Amino acid sequence: MTATHPTHGAHAPSAKREWAGGLTVFAAVTLMLVGVLDIFRGIMGIAEDDVFVATQNYVFKFDLTAWGWTHLVLGAIAVLVGLGLGRGALWARVSGVVIAGLVVIANFLSLPYYPVWSVVMIAFSGFVIWALCVGGRSRT
């Protein structure tokens, strides 16, 4: 009897390729999570929930409903891009970096309205950007 061992030939996945694949899955799941949470935040803003802080004299002052729609649309797009990342689409990798960057900007601008949540969303989006930029396609 002979034992079967994984081959180290051209068809064996390399550690770098597996690492990149894992980062892409991480980015897809995290981006979908960011999207769903942003959708909920958008719904709260549209409903003008009293969870948000009333801020005066803020440079980027917008109506709470406008912030709600902004977060709702960004969240929906983030979920769709996350699904595309799960399928391994190249357009989703590029779009993922862009949409995560827009989520960072939107959450930075709405820091005074819901500060802790904004910081958490910025951190999640930063991890998505990192994972998509580091876990690029390998050239083997």
Side-chain angles (χ1 to χ4, degrees), residues 116-137:
V116 174
W117 190 257
S118 293
V119 170
V120 169
M121 294 297 283
I122 289 169
F124 276 162
S125 298
F127 282 128
V128 169
I129 293 170
W130 170 78
L132 289 176
C133 290
V134 170
R137 295 167 53 173

Side-chain angles (χ1 to χ4, degrees), residues 29-95:
V29 171
T30 306
L31 189 61
M32 285 190 285
L33 177 66
V34 164
V36 169
L37 294 175
D38 231 15
I39 288 170
F40 289 146
R41 184 176 183 181
I43 291 170
M44 289 184 334
I46 293 168
E48 296 188 7
D49 199 355
D50 48 346
V51 161
F52 295 97
V53 177
T55 304
Q56 297 181 8
N57 300 327
Y58 181 52
V59 175
F60 302 109
K61 186 175 183 179
F62 293 111
D63 181 35
L64 189 56
T65 304
W67 280 120
W69 280 107
T70 301
H71 286 287
L72 183 69
V73 169
L74 284 174
I77 294 171
V79 169
L80 293 175
V81 170
L83 291 172
L85 279 171
R87 302 197 75 173
L90 179 61
W91 66 265
R93 178 175 294 280
V94 174
S95 300

